[in-house]
Amino acid sequence: MKIRFTLILLALFQISLNHVCAQSLQNENSGLPLNPNRSILFGKDIVINDTAMGDQRNVAICSAFNGWLYAAYWVKEVGSNVASMQLTIMKSEDSGMNWDVLRTILTGGPREIFSSFKIAVCGNDLTNLKLFLGLIYYDTLYHSGTVVVPRFNGITGETETDILNDQSVDAHDIDIATDYNYPASNSDPGSFAILYSKHQGSTDSLIFYSSSNGGMTLNNHRVVSKSSDQFQFRKVALNYGRSSSYIDGQYFAAWELISINNSDFDHIYTAHSE
């Protein structure tokens, strides 16, 4: 009995030693990417914009043809009576090492929030560089969302126009995309597209808009899908892609369809443009 007890103690001691060794090599098994010198790849953070008196939430980022980076996030100012949220857009011209505020956007009142937003850049030259925001202004009192897509000068951040302003809907989610990486053959200087889900009447709809002239005008509009009164569209995703066999490229959409009455019967669907 004493021998068995001694063996058990030795086994426990050996396990504890192995545990200590494993802790000293935790970076190998932590799932974090490593640099060649074995330091954590994202171990040193670059602060984009530190607002001391604010609650920063959500973030979106995109890049332009020349490597410039754009980032957006919203911040709720503590004790602010001006608006419930402020959307801040940042720009970096040196691979993300330094960031400057490009512009800020306020919601319309204390009961309004940005429930969804995305950013995208279009253009193949500084003369036609445009930044787009896909926004849903959500009224927390009336529980309704308005879709707004403003276009900005990609260099100065100056507002040019709202290329879409759909105030007659209860919008859920929005995504925007461009073809700047591989311009479609029929787009000059680029193609830009919008996808959003909305509720109207007793059904939900999935709406698609696109532009073949760099977001100057939206010259294509499609209702991608409609739901029955038992289902609702929620999260959406949009991206552009092309291949050697389809040089003109296509927009690829994905969306979430949820069941109102059965939480175990949700689905993800996809479609693409022509």
Side-chain angles (χ1 to χ4, degrees):
M1 181 67 69
K2 290 183 178 180
I3 294 175
R4 182 180 299 176
F5 181 74
T6 303
L7 290 175
I8 292 174
L9 287 178
L10 287 173
L12 290 174
F13 179 70
Q14 183 64 36
I15 291 173
S16 67
L17 287 180
N18 290 339
H19 182 69
V20 170
C21 292
Q23 288 293 325
S24 65
L25 300 174
Q26 60 180 333
N27 285 341
E28 290 185 353
N29 302 309
S30 66
L32 294 175
L34 301 177
N35 277 325
N37 63 2
R38 306 200 61 75
S39 62
I40 297 175
L41 184 61
F42 297 105
K44 183 178 180 181
D45 293 332
I46 299 171
V47 177
I48 291 180
N49 192 23
D50 184 18
T51 305
M53 296 300 292
D55 179 16
Q56 295 178 342
R57 295 291 185 89
N58 296 341
V59 68
I61 193 167
C62 67
S63 60
F65 74 97
N66 59 357
W68 287 2
L69 294 171
Y70 297 85
Y73 63 92
W74 63 250
V75 56
K76 184 175 181 180
E77 302 293 342
V78 177
S80 172
N81 295 320
V82 177
S84 60
M85 280 189 184
Q86 173 180 290
L87 185 66
T88 301
I89 306 173
M90 310 289 296
K91 183 178 76 168
S92 172
E93 299 181 9
D94 57 2
S95 302
M97 297 304 298
N98 296 281
W99 294 83
D100 296 308
V101 175
L102 190 65
R103 66 169 301 116
T104 57
I105 301 171
L106 296 175
T107 54
R111 70 181 189 215
E112 197 171 52
I113 63 173
F114 297 114
S115 62
S116 177
F117 71 88
K118 297 294 175 59
I119 60 175
V121 177
C122 195
N124 54 10
D125 190 87
L126 291 181
T127 60
N128 56 42
L129 184 61
K130 306 298 178 185
L131 174 67
F132 296 88
L133 273 178
L135 293 170
I136 293 181
Y137 289 88
Y138 186 78
D139 192 309
T140 57
L141 178 63
Y142 293 102
H143 303 288
S144 62
T146 297
V147 176
V148 181
V149 182
R151 186 184 71 227
F152 306 95
N153 183 293
I155 301 174
T156 65
E158 179 182 357
T159 303
E160 295 184 346
T161 188
D162 289 341
I163 64 171
L164 179 65
N165 192 333
D166 192 346
Q167 300 186 26
S168 62
V169 304
D170 179 12
H172 301 308
D173 195 37
I174 188 171
D175 201 1
I176 59 178
T178 72
D179 69 343
Y180 87 94
N181 271 327
Y182 300 100
S185 60
N186 63 344
S187 61
D188 182 23
S191 177
F192 170 75
I194 305 165
L195 180 72
Y196 62 94
S197 55
K198 72 173 185 178
H199 180 78
Q200 203 165 24
S202 60
T203 62
D204 276 22
S205 298
L206 198 66
I207 308 299
F208 174 81
Y209 284 93
S210 69
S211 165
S212 60
N213 55 14
M216 295 299 104
T217 59
L218 296 174
N219 45 27
N220 182 28
H221 173 218
R222 294 287 186 275
V223 177
V224 178
S225 182
K226 285 190 174 235
S227 73
S228 68
D229 57 1
Q230 300 300 312
F231 293 88
Q232 294 180 338
F233 296 119
R234 281 300 183 264
K235 293 295 184 180
V236 303
L238 184 68
N239 211 340
Y240 174 86
R242 76 172 188 177
S243 65
S244 57
S245 60
Y246 199 91
I247 196 65
D248 287 342
Q250 295 172 316
Y251 280 102
F252 293 86
W255 62 91
E256 176 190 47
L257 183 68
I258 66 172
S259 171
I260 298 175
N261 301 318
N262 186 353
S263 60
D264 296 326
F265 199 74
D266 303 334
H267 294 287
I268 302 295
Y269 292 93
T270 64
H272 59 76
S273 66
E274 292 298 331

